[in-house]
Amino acid sequence: MSAAGKSGAYGAMLEEDPDQTYENVLAEIQSFELPIEATLRSVYDDQPNAHKKFMEKLDACIRNHDKEIEKMCNFHHQGFVDAITELLKVRADAEKLKVQVTDTNRRFQDAGKEVIVQTEDIIRCRIQQRNITTVVEKLQLCLPVLEMYSKLKEQMSAKRYYSALKTMEQLENVYFPRVSQYRFCQLMVENLPKLREDIKEISMSDLKDFLESIRKHSDKIGETAMKQAQQQKTFSVTLQIKQNNVKFGKNMYINDRIPEESSEIVLKHTFEEEEENEEEVLTVQDLVDFSPVYRCLHIYSVLGDEEAFENYYRKQRKKQARLVLQPQSNMHETVDGYRRYFTQIVGFFVVEDHILHVTQGLVTRAYTDELWNMALSKIIAVLRAHSSYCTDPDLVLELKNLIVIFADTLQGYGFPVNRLFDLLFEIRDQYNETLLKKWAGVFRDIFEEDNYSPIPIVNEEEYKIVISKFPFQDPDLEKQSFPKKFPMSQSVPHIYIQVKEFIYASLKFSESLHRSSTEIDDMLRKSTNLLLTRTLCSCLLNLIRKPHIGLTELVQIIINTTHLEQACKYLEDFITNITNISQETVHTTRLYGLSTFKDARHAAEGEIYTKLNQKIDEFVQLADYDWTMSEPDGRASGYLMDLINFLRSIFQVFTHLPGKVAQTACMSACQHLSTSLMQMLLDSELKQISMGAVQQFNLDVIQCELFASSEPVPGFQGDTLQLAFIDLRQLLDLFMVWDWSTYLADYGQPASKYLRVNPNTALTLLEKMKDTSKKNNIFAQFRKNDRDKQKLIETVVKQLRSLVNGAACARGEMFLPTEATTGVQLLPSSGRSQYRILTVETRQTR
């Protein structure tokens, strides 16, 4: 029953029979039924005086129990007293017995001491024997483990880590299970992981040292590999040359630089070098100790961490590849910079190729191909950037040779190098540009050193020397006796030789590019065309425009270009003999020498015309006319005679020029002289001019006409050259004869006597003479002839102004005054001028 139930039951009983209830409670307490808190709570909680009554009942119960205990003790007291009494009686006997037992024990102890000692010795011996047997058994079990562990320590000390790992496997799988219960075995087992980590760290440290070592020695490895590839290629090329010489005879080069005897010497020398270096051929294994890689690979394979090792190795090599591919900033300055760059890259990939073939899985072909493609892109970008700074063709050529050796070396190890050869075609264009710049300087030096005079020849030996340098053929010159002269100057054979040198230099780059003879022929012709059309033509044009180049030099330059143009066919034959490609081939490029030298000749001709006109201007500037003179000197001006003498000497030099050039120059000079003289008359700064000055000027023009009629340059038909002065002649005739009536009457007619006289020109000159007439004739109004002259001049001036400004010209017509106009005509006589009055009838002329 629960406590709550009991409490309720006792509460009900207290109400019915309190005494009986307390009896039951006490009985329950005495029965030790726990817990009794519910019972006690019912006593205290149900009735107000229940506590007091319960305590009274409890005291009464206790008193009853005390009485019962007392009765029981009284009942058993006598027996207890009897027992004590018996024990007191026995105590004396017990003491005696104790003494006897003690004495007996002492005697037994004394008597058995020796037995005990012997027994203990026996026991100890037996225990020792048993222990010895156990120890021997256990040592026999432990000794192999200890020996193996000692062997492991020795292997660790000797750095035989792969063997040490194998020993650890034996210890763990075979030996340790036998002695696993021993503490030393547990220590060994606990020490093995640490040893494995030590081995991994040590092997990894060796690998890092190896990677650092090959990074430092990559250039040596690459240099050796490239040297071997170059020796192999040299041997193959020389052998091929020998075979070609045997098959085809001597080579067909013009002016061969390597005759057959030289080829044999080179071949012999190459064989000797091969024999000498046969024992000195080094492989990558000779230069590099790969054992750290093998050990590390085996160790990680045994440890089951081969993938981590492969990833680490590839990651580190990729980092080294990026460092190797990083060029120095000044790499382009010397060929050694490029060589170091290439040897490091070759060394890197030679090592990788070796690792690929001697290990399984450490690097794969896909990995090396990916690494090579990445490197190749970087190499091409670096070479493009740095080669663009190269301005020395020799350096570019050496770079090309290095790239070829570099490509051939790596191709021998199975790496694709087609992109490198494509890059060489880009570098070839740059090489040609550097050659063009170099030869531009060569041509400039040749032009600076030339004396622009025909080459003098004293004897046959000198003649042969010139012929050996330049293919000149002239039967007339050969027939002449010594001394004689070549028509060209020294620059022509020098330029021809330098063009051939350029072809040789261009050919050097085309070697070893694995291209056909047709492609090489095309490259040579294109580069030679660039030399002719760009470099040589530009140098010629610059030379022609130089201020110190005079007319004589320009004439010689024209002659030189003519002979250079004729020599172009020999240059084509020269290239043909080098490449063995016939010029009749469909795709063969032709040399553009014809157009090149024709342009230079035209420029020189134009410069001749310009300089000739400038020289004429210099003479004309020396003119010192007295424009107010009353009478002429009776002879031509000194400056004009000097000019004519100069022109005669110059045109004498022009006899070596083509006929049309000399004729054009002569016509241009006469026209320019005529124009200059006309401009002198019409100069705005010239305000007044007298009739005497006109007559003096007429004498100079007559000398010009005499010069033109003397045929200074042969080939002109009739009076063609004299027509250059026709404008001046008609103008001066008009003023000398003073035939204004005819001019005004016939103006505009195709058959006019003064058809080339422009009214504006006539008006300008007439106004200057009008002003002079007024100034010199202060008393003109007192003389009838002077008044008539002034009247005539004024009348003609008005009509000329009408022609210049009038609307009649716009309609194509000219009107004279409707009334008869009085005119004055000058009649030349011996002593003085006379004038007569003329009547000009009214006319209308279209």
Side-chain angles (χ1 to χ4, degrees):
M1 182 180 295
S2 64
K6 287 182 179 183
S7 177
Y10 285 132
M13 292 175 64
L14 284 173
E15 291 179 356
E16 296 176 359
D17 190 358
D19 295 333
Q20 184 60 37
T21 300
Y22 293 138
E23 291 295 333
N24 293 336
V25 170
L26 291 174
E28 186 175 351
I29 292 172
Q30 291 177 15
S31 67
F32 297 101
E33 183 179 353
L34 297 177
I36 62 173
E37 62 271 11
T39 304
L40 296 177
R41 188 178 299 111
S42 65
V43 174
Y44 285 92
D45 294 343
D46 292 338
Q47 297 295 328
N49 297 321
H51 172 66
K52 184 176 179 182
K53 292 180 180 182
F54 177 73
M55 292 301 295
E56 290 175 356
K57 289 290 184 180
L58 184 59
D59 290 338
C61 183
I62 291 171
R63 285 194 297 274
N64 290 332
H65 281 290
D66 290 339
K67 288 179 181 181
E68 289 179 0
I69 291 170
E70 185 177 358
K71 287 180 182 181
M72 185 175 291
C73 290
N74 290 331
F75 177 77
H76 293 287
H77 180 266
Q78 186 59 44
F80 176 73
V81 172
D82 292 339
I84 294 302
T85 302
E86 289 180 359
L87 287 174
L88 291 174
K89 291 179 180 180
V90 175
R91 183 172 63 181
D93 295 334
E95 290 178 353
K96 291 179 181 180
L97 180 61
K98 180 179 179 182
V99 172
Q100 291 177 357
V101 170
T102 302
D103 183 62
T104 302
N105 181 58
R106 180 179 55 76
R107 290 199 302 271
F108 270 110
Q109 291 294 333
D110 294 338
K113 282 183 179 179
E114 294 181 0
V115 176
I116 290 173
V117 170
Q118 294 178 357
T119 302
E120 289 178 351
D121 291 340
I122 293 172
I123 293 172
R124 188 166 57 255
C125 289
R126 292 291 177 85
I127 292 173
Q128 288 179 350
Q129 288 178 351
R130 186 174 64 250
N131 289 341
I132 289 171
T133 303
T134 303
V135 167
V136 170
E137 292 177 354
K138 299 303 179 181
L139 285 176
Q140 289 178 345
L141 186 63
C142 294
L143 275 177
V145 179
L146 296 174
E147 289 175 354
M148 289 296 291
Y149 195 79
S150 176
K151 180 180 178 182
L152 174 63
K153 288 293 186 180
E154 291 176 357
Q155 290 171 343
M156 291 291 293
S157 300
K159 298 183 179 182
R160 297 166 54 198
Y161 302 117
Y162 180 75
S163 301
L165 290 175
K166 290 297 184 180
T167 303
M168 289 183 192
E169 287 184 356
Q170 291 181 355
L171 285 172
E172 289 178 333
N173 297 329
V174 179
Y175 294 96
F176 282 167
R178 301 175 184 175
V179 292
S180 59
Q181 69 273 22
Y182 299 112
R183 184 180 177 187
F184 78 89
C185 179
Q186 296 299 325
L187 294 175
M188 290 180 181
V189 171
E190 294 174 358
N191 196 35
L192 288 185
K194 182 179 182 300
L195 291 177
R196 283 193 173 93
E197 290 300 322
D198 292 343
I199 290 174
K200 287 180 68 174
E201 292 178 1
I202 293 171
S203 61
M204 185 58 68
S205 176
D206 292 342
L207 178 65
K208 291 178 180 178
D209 294 340
F210 166 78
L211 294 176
E212 181 66 21
S213 175
I214 62 173
R215 188 183 72 82
K216 292 180 179 179
H217 297 88
S218 291
D219 54 348
K220 180 63 176 177
I221 300 170
E223 182 180 358
T224 303
M226 290 177 67
K227 185 181 296 184
Q228 293 173 0
Q230 186 177 11
Q231 290 174 351
Q232 180 64 31
K233 182 177 180 180
T234 303
F235 175 77
S236 300
V237 170
T238 311
L239 185 61
Q240 184 65 34
I241 292 174
K242 180 66 176 177
Q243 293 174 352
N244 291 340
N245 290 339
V246 172
K247 185 176 181 180
F248 299 107
K250 295 183 178 180
N251 52 33
M252 300 298 295
Y253 285 14
I254 295 179
N255 297 330
D256 288 337
R257 298 187 173 186
I258 306 178
E260 187 177 4
E261 293 78 4
S262 300
S263 300
E264 294 178 355
I265 294 173
V266 171
L267 183 62
K268 181 179 179 181
H269 182 66
T270 303
F271 278 117
E272 291 176 355
E273 286 185 350
E274 290 293 330
E275 293 176 358
E276 291 177 359
N277 298 331
E278 186 175 359
E279 298 180 357
E280 300 178 2
V281 175
L282 299 177
T283 62
V284 66
Q285 296 92 331
D286 299 325
L287 298 173
V288 180
D289 180 16
F290 289 93
S291 58
V293 181
Y294 306 148
R295 285 197 302 269
C296 201
L297 178 60
H298 291 161
I299 288 170
Y300 275 78
S301 299
V302 171
L303 295 177
D305 205 6
E306 185 177 1
E307 183 177 357
F309 172 73
E310 292 174 0
N311 294 334
Y312 176 82
Y313 177 84
R314 295 179 183 181
K315 181 179 179 181
Q316 294 301 317
R317 289 297 280 168
K318 283 184 178 180
K319 289 182 179 178
Q320 289 187 345
R322 294 188 181 94
L323 292 176
V324 167
L325 295 171
Q326 190 67 29
Q328 297 180 357
S329 59
N330 60 343
M331 185 179 73
H332 62 276
E333 294 179 357
T334 60
V335 70
D336 291 335
Y338 288 107
R339 182 177 289 107
R340 284 193 298 270
Y341 183 67
F342 286 135
T343 54
Q344 289 178 357
I345 296 173
V346 170
F348 178 89
F349 282 100
V350 166
V351 170
E352 289 305 291
D353 181 76
H354 180 79
I355 294 294
L356 172 67
H357 289 89
V358 299
T359 61
Q360 296 180 352
L362 180 56
V363 295
T364 61
R365 175 56 68 181
Y367 161 78
T368 55
D369 289 344
E370 178 186 358
L371 197 61
W372 170 244
N373 290 331
M374 181 272 292
L376 192 57
S377 300
K378 179 66 175 178
I379 292 168
I380 291 175
V382 168
L383 292 178
R384 274 203 189 103
H386 283 264
S387 63
S388 61
Y389 296 105
C390 294
T391 57
D392 183 6
D394 294 334
L395 179 59
V396 179
L397 183 61
E398 290 180 350
L399 172 60
K400 168 258 174 181
N401 293 331
L402 282 176
I403 293 176
V404 170
I405 297 171
F406 173 75
D408 290 342
T409 303
L410 290 176
Q411 191 174 28
Y413 285 91
F415 296 99
V417 294
N418 292 334
R419 292 173 61 188
L420 285 174
F421 284 101
D422 294 338
L423 174 65
L424 285 175
F425 284 94
E426 299 179 18
I427 298 178
R428 181 200 64 192
D429 296 335
Q430 181 185 348
Y431 174 72
N432 286 336
E433 291 296 326
T434 57
L435 284 181
L436 293 175
K437 292 180 181 178
K438 178 180 179 181
W439 257 260
V442 172
F443 290 149
R444 284 194 296 267
D445 293 340
I446 291 174
F447 291 141
E448 289 293 333
E449 296 171 0
D450 194 10
N451 58 5
Y452 298 98
S453 299
I455 303 175
I457 302 298
V458 178
N459 50 43
E460 184 70 23
E461 184 179 354
E462 292 183 359
Y463 182 84
K464 291 181 179 179
I465 291 174
V466 175
I467 293 299
S468 65
K469 295 179 180 178
F470 183 75
F472 180 81
Q473 295 179 357
D474 187 354
D476 295 335
L477 183 64
E478 292 179 2
K479 295 177 182 178
Q480 294 178 13
S481 60
F482 294 99
K484 52 188 175 182
K485 292 182 179 180
F486 283 97
M488 66 279 188
S489 64
Q490 288 287 354
S491 61
V492 172
H494 291 165
I495 290 174
Y496 183 79
I497 292 173
Q498 287 303 321
V499 172
K500 291 174 63 177
E501 290 291 335
F502 176 87
I503 294 173
Y504 276 123
S506 182
L507 178 64
K508 287 180 180 179
F509 196 94
S510 301
E511 295 173 349
S512 305
L513 292 186
H514 309 299
R515 296 294 172 178
S516 64
S517 299
T518 304
E519 292 175 307
I520 294 175
D521 181 85
D522 186 62
M523 287 187 288
L524 288 180
R525 293 178 184 273
K526 287 182 178 179
S527 59
T528 306
N529 277 330
L530 286 176
L531 178 72
L532 296 177
T533 57
R534 281 178 45 186
T535 307
L536 182 55
C537 184
S538 176
C539 291
L540 282 171
L541 294 177
N542 292 333
L543 174 68
I544 290 168
R545 298 188 184 100
K546 286 186 176 181
H548 70 275
I549 298 297
L551 293 170
T552 305
E553 288 81 2
L554 289 171
V555 171
Q556 187 62 53
I557 289 172
I558 292 176
I559 297 172
N560 290 347
T561 55
T562 303
H563 290 285
L564 287 172
E565 178 183 335
Q566 295 171 356
C568 284
K569 64 178 182 179
Y570 296 101
L571 291 175
E572 289 187 344
D573 294 338
F574 177 74
I575 296 175
T576 298
N577 286 309
I578 288 177
T579 59
N580 291 325
I581 301 298
S582 175
Q583 298 183 26
E584 285 71 24
T585 305
V586 177
H587 302 289
T588 300
T589 305
R590 299 295 179 183
L591 296 184
Y592 302 146
L594 181 63
S595 60
T596 299
F597 297 116
K598 184 180 295 183
D599 294 341
R601 258 197 320 277
H602 289 168
E605 292 168 7
E607 196 67 21
I608 284 177
Y609 307 148
T610 302
K611 288 186 179 293
L612 191 57
N613 293 340
Q614 291 175 353
K615 199 66 176 178
I616 292 173
D617 291 338
E618 293 176 4
F619 279 99
V620 172
Q621 290 174 1
L622 298 176
D624 187 17
Y625 287 102
D626 182 6
W627 297 108
T628 60
M629 65 172 56
S630 58
E631 294 291 337
D633 293 338
R635 62 180 181 274
S637 302
Y639 85 92
L640 187 66
M641 297 308 296
D642 293 339
L643 172 58
I644 291 174
N645 292 331
F646 167 76
L647 292 177
R648 290 185 188 278
S649 62
I650 285 297
F651 292 143
Q652 186 65 30
V653 176
F654 283 6
T655 55
H656 299 290
L657 292 176
K660 291 183 178 180
V661 177
Q663 292 170 13
T664 304
C666 186
M667 178 59 74
S668 173
C670 291
Q671 289 177 347
H672 185 73
L673 177 57
S674 177
T675 303
S676 300
L677 293 175
M678 181 69 77
Q679 290 176 351
M680 190 185 302
L681 285 176
L682 303 179
D683 189 2
S684 59
E685 296 182 359
L686 179 59
K687 303 300 183 182
Q688 298 173 353
I689 184 170
S690 65
M691 194 62 194
V694 173
Q695 292 171 353
Q696 179 64 41
F697 198 80
N698 183 58
L699 293 175
D700 293 342
V701 174
I702 290 173
Q703 289 297 324
C704 294
E705 293 173 333
L706 291 174
F707 169 75
S709 63
S710 65
E711 197 175 6
V713 173
F716 286 107
Q717 296 179 358
D719 299 335
T720 303
L721 192 57
Q722 297 179 25
L723 292 177
F725 300 96
I726 189 63
D727 293 350
L728 269 176
R729 173 47 50 209
Q730 291 187 8
L731 179 62
L732 290 174
D733 285 349
L734 177 61
F735 278 86
M736 292 295 293
V737 180
W738 208 257
D739 193 9
W740 292 104
S741 59
T742 303
Y743 175 74
L744 294 173
D746 295 340
Y747 177 77
Q749 296 294 331
S752 174
K753 181 180 178 181
Y754 304 103
L755 181 63
R756 306 299 295 267
V757 178
N758 186 285
N760 194 11
T761 302
L763 176 62
T764 302
L765 185 57
L766 190 58
E767 286 181 338
K768 294 180 180 181
M769 294 184 68
K770 173 184 175 183
D771 294 338
T772 304
S773 178
K774 288 181 179 180
K775 180 178 180 181
N776 294 337
N777 296 279
I778 301 175
F779 303 101
Q781 64 273 22
F782 302 109
R783 294 194 294 268
K784 186 176 183 298
N785 286 340
D786 293 334
R787 289 197 306 270
D788 292 341
K789 181 180 177 182
Q790 289 297 327
K791 185 177 180 181
L792 175 60
I793 291 176
E794 290 174 358
T795 301
V796 174
V797 166
K798 288 179 181 180
Q799 293 189 14
L800 290 176
R801 284 176 179 170
S802 176
L803 291 177
V804 173
N805 303 320
C809 290
R811 294 193 302 267
E813 298 177 351
M814 181 187 70
F815 295 95
L816 292 176
T818 55
E819 298 179 355
T821 304
T822 302
V824 180
Q825 183 177 9
L826 178 63
L827 298 176
S829 62
S830 60
R832 60 187 181 89
S833 298
Q834 295 182 352
Y835 299 89
R836 63 183 178 87
I837 304 297
L838 298 176
T839 300
V840 181
E841 297 181 356
T842 302
R843 298 186 182 183
Q844 182 176 0
T845 306
R846 273 203 178 277

